[in-house]
Amino acid sequence: MSSTSSHVGPVVGVVGAGQLARMMQQAAIPLGIELRVLANTQDESAAKVIVDTRLGDYRDLAVLRDFAAGCDAVTFDHEHVPTEHIGALTDEGVQVHPGADALVHAQDKAEMRRRLTAFGAPCPAWRAVETVADVEAFAAENGWPVVLKAIRGGYDGRGVWVCDDRSEAAEVVATGIPLLAEAFVPFQRELAVLVARSPHGQGVSYPVVETVQENGICVEVLAPAPGLDPEDAAQAQRIALKIADELGVTGLLAVEMFETADGLVVNELAMRPHNSGHWTIEGARTSQFEQHLRAVLDLPLGSPSLTAPYVVMVNLLGGDDPAIFKRYEHVMAHDPGVKMHFYGKEVRPGRKIGHVTVLGTDLDDARARAKHAAVYLTTGEYT
Amino acid sequence: MSSTSSHVGPVVGVVGAGQLARMMQQAAIPLGIELRVLANTQDESAAKVIVDTRLGDYRDLAVLRDFAAGCDAVTFDHEHVPTEHIGALTDEGVQVHPGADALVHAQDKAEMRRRLTAFGAPCPAWRAVETVADVEAFAAENGWPVVLKAIRGGYDGRGVWVCDDRSEAAEVVATGIPLLAEAFVPFQRELAVLVARSPHGQGVSYPVVETVQENGICVEVLAPAPGLDPEDAAQAQRIALKIADELGVTGLLAVEMFETADGLVVNELAMRPHNSGHWTIEGARTSQFEQHLRAVLDLPLGSPSLTAPYVVMVNLLGGDDPAIFKRYEHVMAHDPGVKMHFYGKEVRPGRKIGHVTVLGTDLDDARARAKHAAVYLTTGEYT
């Protein structure tokens, strides 16, 4: 292993070369950790900033085995690597984090619900369904609307259908996609809890945040979640740490929750750095990317404490005009404190191409500043 | 120029691939700026983290010309590029920052003293000297000891000799190195002011810091300089901004000063990110590396404000044991808030291999935490 070498740091292999791997590189550089990335093409976000970029198909075990050789740990930019390959690598002695037994719960929503229900994490009513009759039976018990979710492969609102009646459900069932039915949760707002857990079992939770979604895509994150009852915040953190522990997660776990009149309900899990944690780059003493690297290398975890009373992150979704850079000048001149993040990705309408972060003492002011920067950068409109 | 391309950011070429270029990459990644680096070997600190690494000799104009082709701006990791080459590139339309007319004052200490004296910046008595008789004449006016400095090429205490008498001066003169004589300044402590100036003339100053030197090497930086009179702090910032303006500096300028019973005296200048500004990575809203990139691209400058009441940076100088990484575990477990920085350099005794930064509300506590981490990381001793 390279960590026994005298003058280089450990090598961490990251499967997938999107913006998460790119932002890991920002954290890896100061720690002297050498990142290696498995990309599809040399043009991908992380491939542009990581010297040791290898090209190959993450669905091919031979490719993964070759990629892992010489790595002190292997982790992921996305959750699509087949768990049987992860299990095979682990059996061969590779440190893969998260492991197959944990990651399956981020890949398979039915498996996730089964497990969470088993140890008492708060879930909506749910049932795997195959036919329209199954959905109708579920609705008879839990009422319409019924939320149908693709058991595998959904993200950013894709693979989720809120069905008001039988005919809408029938259309979804007709796709042939394996489905999970969930009771519609009348939530007040959406929260997210990001925790880290290391192989030796240390756990750390970041402050609970509020996430604002539009069309199923996260557009804004407020840290900490404004006005959240401290008891509820502690309960949310306990739930997330419990899930990480029960599932044996190593690395980061993001738990998306609904806040309802009756308490908290777990919505989704992600086992990697998460959009709801991008604010930590400037807003926490340890960014989620550094935390993930510490965890997968089984190093002690860093402080998750806030660096300002409020931190606001707004996603940049590509607009019609791809010329982002020419708009830096206004934003930088207008607000010397706004932090801009671009992922080096080609601008396409609706695509996540970056984010902005603003720290402040007044929440409304910080939100307005972040919004102004994001709108101007993506559209050129002065709000 | 690549900035007119639709989906990539600007390209900044950095001549030299040491730790300063490496830390620039941390700042370039989120801004979507593509760094290109001119290295001597692929093993250098920045070459390990910058994909577009070119190998070549920075003293060769043809190499520089080829390197600069396609860059939106060219800047430096060190101050050794011949100013005639910089002038030639500028004449050919390359945006080089700092420019030759400014940089000469960082390369040539006699030129620096001449210019600073001309516009009234506070300097010690000084004179270019060639013979022992010249030194004796200078001492007759200003007293012993006399500080002899190599006019070109010194750094980290090298090229500086404090001579108590004629015979010590004679030894230095005998080396044949072109020399500057300066009156010895009985200082109370050393301060540094880091400012940025952009081509369109915007200037920003970071808070004044105290630097602690051992054997001519900076070992610790305290931000802000504790107990500094606000009037003196403002005066120090005015002096540094004035120097940047008078010399036409573009990019960063670090001004090292002595605090004396009679006021401030300018000691040295550096025109690049500087060791006295490494604390800004976590300790200021805009790091010196981001600030430098903004300045050389003529973008508006970022906020230099502190992120905590006190920030302490301690350099890591290589010890006898090169196995730094095995000591991460203790430091991370002992203090989840300490920020470690390694430059990916082979450990050699006395070599700057990294630094640690601690933020806090109590200066003594922050100093103790940073010291503990630095001593343990470099020696394995628990203090």
Side-chain angles (χ1 to χ4, degrees):
Chain A
M1 291 283 194
S2 66
S3 65
T4 59
S5 166
S6 64
H7 60 87
V8 285
V11 178
V12 173
V14 185
V15 178
Q19 64 260 31
L20 301 180
R22 181 184 174 99
M23 289 186 271
M24 280 184 217
Q25 173 72 329
Q26 276 173 254
I29 291 172
L31 289 174
I33 294 168
E34 296 179 27
L35 288 195
R36 173 186 300 177
V37 75
L38 184 62
N40 294 309
T41 74
Q42 201 67 48
D43 279 344
E44 287 179 289
S45 182
K48 292 179 177 174
V49 298
I50 293 175
V51 174
D52 190 0
T53 292
R54 317 245 173 134
L55 301 182
D57 186 342
Y58 62 81
R59 295 166 301 189
D60 182 334
L61 178 58
V63 167
L64 291 172
R65 192 179 278 132
D66 189 50
F67 177 75
C71 288
D72 294 279
V74 170
T75 188
F76 311 101
D77 171 85
H78 58 67
E79 289 153 341
H80 310 314
V81 178
T83 47
E84 61 269 27
H85 292 352
I86 296 174
L89 293 175
T90 301
D91 289 345
E92 293 166 16
V94 180
Q95 290 290 322
V96 191
H97 300 292
D101 293 347
L103 193 63
V104 67
H105 301 93
Q107 291 183 348
D108 183 312
K109 293 187 202 298
E111 199 55 50
M112 183 268 276
R113 286 298 182 206
R114 200 166 292 131
R115 188 67 185 280
L116 262 58
T117 303
F119 65 82
C123 293
W126 65 274
R127 190 177 306 159
V129 292
E130 292 186 358
T131 65
V132 178
D134 290 344
V135 180
E136 283 199 290
F138 183 80
E141 289 173 41
N142 299 286
W144 296 99
V146 169
V147 181
L148 293 179
K149 294 182 173 178
I151 287 176
R152 286 179 167 264
Y155 71 99
D156 276 356
R158 292 181 222 190
V160 176
W161 301 269
V162 179
C163 302
D164 284 326
D165 54 35
R166 184 187 190 286
S167 71
E168 288 186 16
E171 275 184 53
V172 179
V173 171
T175 61
I177 297 169
L179 293 170
L180 183 75
E182 292 185 355
F184 182 82
V185 176
F187 62 86
Q188 296 160 333
R189 60 174 168 171
E190 294 188 64
L191 304 174
V193 190
L194 187 66
V195 298
R197 185 175 172 279
S198 57
H200 76 280
Q202 188 190 7
V204 154
S205 175
Y206 285 93
V208 182
V209 301
E210 177 176 341
T211 64
V212 181
Q213 327 280 327
E214 280 175 15
N215 303 318
I217 296 179
C218 173
V219 292
E220 187 184 25
V221 174
L222 313 176
L228 183 62
D229 183 280
E231 282 300 316
D232 290 342
Q235 175 66 2
Q237 292 182 316
R238 274 194 298 269
I239 291 168
L241 287 166
K242 170 87 169 167
I243 294 172
D245 196 44
E246 288 283 348
L247 304 188
V249 176
T250 45
L252 288 184
L253 170 71
V255 182
E256 298 182 73
M257 299 185 189
F258 296 126
E259 186 180 26
T260 79
D262 302 322
L264 301 167
V265 175
V266 174
N267 183 25
E268 302 283 356
L269 304 183
M271 291 182 199
R272 49 171 171 72
H274 191 249
N275 198 168
S276 68
H278 290 354
W279 65 272
T280 60
I281 296 174
E282 295 91 3
R285 287 284 173 236
T286 309
S287 81
Q288 66 168 343
F289 301 100
E290 176 176 343
Q291 201 74 286
H292 188 68
L293 292 172
R294 287 181 182 228
V296 303
L297 286 167
D298 207 12
L299 290 166
L301 302 175
S303 165
S305 62
L306 289 156
T307 62
Y310 284 105
V311 188
V312 176
M313 192 279 323
V314 174
N315 275 334
L316 300 174
L317 303 179
D320 295 324
D321 180 355
I324 295 283
F325 184 67
K326 69 178 187 193
R327 292 191 287 267
Y328 273 41
E329 191 163 10
H330 161 72
V331 174
M332 287 178 166
H334 184 263
D335 190 340
V338 70
K339 306 307 289 184
M340 291 187 279
H341 296 257
F342 284 92
Y343 305 151
K345 291 161 73 174
E346 194 179 343
V347 175
R348 288 203 295 260
R351 189 185 205 194
K352 283 181 188 170
I353 53 168
H355 70 270
V356 298
T357 303
V358 170
L359 287 72
T361 51
D362 180 273
L363 177 63
D364 290 340
D365 178 63
R367 290 185 78 171
R369 290 168 59 199
K371 188 78 179 291
H372 175 88
V375 169
Y376 190 86
L377 284 168
T378 50
T379 68
E381 285 168 30
Y382 191 101
T383 56
Chain B
M1 292 282 191
S2 66
S3 65
T4 60
S5 166
S6 63
H7 60 88
V8 285
V11 178
V12 174
V14 184
V15 178
Q19 64 260 33
L20 300 179
R22 181 183 174 100
M23 289 186 270
M24 279 184 216
Q25 172 72 329
Q26 275 173 255
I29 291 172
L31 290 173
I33 293 168
E34 297 179 27
L35 287 196
R36 174 186 300 177
V37 75
L38 184 62
N40 295 308
T41 74
Q42 201 66 50
D43 280 344
E44 288 179 289
S45 181
K48 292 179 178 175
V49 299
I50 294 174
V51 174
D52 191 359
T53 292
R54 317 245 173 133
L55 301 182
D57 186 342
Y58 63 81
R59 295 165 300 189
D60 182 334
L61 178 57
V63 167
L64 291 171
R65 192 179 277 132
D66 188 52
F67 177 75
C71 288
D72 293 280
V74 170
T75 188
F76 311 102
D77 170 85
H78 58 68
E79 290 153 341
H80 309 315
V81 178
T83 48
E84 61 268 28
H85 292 352
I86 297 174
L89 293 175
T90 301
D91 288 346
E92 293 165 17
V94 180
Q95 290 289 323
V96 190
H97 300 293
D101 292 347
L103 192 63
V104 66
H105 301 92
Q107 291 183 348
D108 184 312
K109 293 187 202 298
E111 198 56 50
M112 183 268 275
R113 286 299 181 204
R114 200 167 290 133
R115 188 66 185 280
L116 262 57
T117 303
F119 64 81
C123 293
W126 65 275
R127 189 177 307 158
V129 290
E130 292 184 359
T131 64
V132 178
D134 289 345
V135 181
E136 284 199 288
F138 182 80
E141 288 173 43
N142 300 287
W144 295 98
V146 169
V147 181
L148 294 179
K149 294 182 173 178
I151 287 176
R152 286 180 168 265
Y155 71 99
D156 277 356
R158 292 181 223 192
V160 177
W161 302 268
V162 179
C163 301
D164 283 327
D165 54 33
R166 184 186 190 286
S167 71
E168 287 185 16
E171 276 184 51
V172 179
V173 171
T175 63
I177 297 168
L179 293 170
L180 183 74
E182 292 185 356
F184 181 84
V185 176
F187 61 86
Q188 295 160 333
R189 59 174 170 173
E190 294 187 65
L191 304 174
V193 190
L194 188 66
V195 299
R197 184 174 173 279
S198 57
H200 76 280
Q202 188 190 6
V204 154
S205 175
Y206 286 93
V208 181
V209 301
E210 177 176 341
T211 64
V212 181
Q213 327 280 326
E214 281 175 15
N215 303 318
I217 296 179
C218 173
V219 292
E220 187 184 25
V221 174
L222 313 176
L228 183 64
D229 183 280
E231 283 300 315
D232 289 342
Q235 175 66 2
Q237 292 182 315
R238 274 195 297 270
I239 291 169
L241 287 166
K242 171 86 170 168
I243 294 172
D245 195 45
E246 288 283 346
L247 305 189
V249 175
T250 45
L252 289 184
L253 170 71
V255 182
E256 298 182 74
M257 299 184 189
F258 295 126
E259 187 180 24
T260 78
D262 301 323
L264 301 166
V265 175
V266 174
N267 182 26
E268 302 283 354
L269 305 183
M271 290 182 197
R272 48 171 172 73
H274 191 250
N275 198 167
S276 68
H278 290 354
W279 65 273
T280 60
I281 296 174
E282 296 91 3
R285 287 286 173 237
T286 309
S287 80
Q288 66 167 343
F289 301 100
E290 176 176 344
Q291 201 73 287
H292 188 68
L293 292 171
R294 287 181 181 228
V296 302
L297 286 166
D298 208 12
L299 290 166
L301 301 175
S303 165
S305 61
L306 288 156
T307 63
Y310 285 105
V311 188
V312 176
M313 192 279 322
V314 174
N315 274 333
L316 299 175
L317 303 180
D320 295 325
D321 180 356
I324 294 283
F325 183 67
K326 69 177 186 193
R327 292 191 286 267
Y328 273 40
E329 191 162 8
H330 161 72
V331 173
M332 288 178 165
H334 184 264
D335 190 340
V338 70
K339 306 308 287 186
M340 291 186 279
H341 296 257
F342 284 92
Y343 305 152
K345 291 160 72 175
E346 194 180 344
V347 175
R348 289 202 295 259
R351 189 184 203 194
K352 284 182 187 169
I353 53 169
H355 70 270
V356 297
T357 302
V358 170
L359 286 72
T361 51
D362 180 273
L363 177 62
D364 290 340
D365 178 63
R367 290 185 78 172
R369 290 168 60 201
K371 187 79 179 290
H372 175 88
V375 169
Y376 190 85
L377 284 168
T378 50
T379 68
E381 285 168 30
Y382 190 100
T383 55

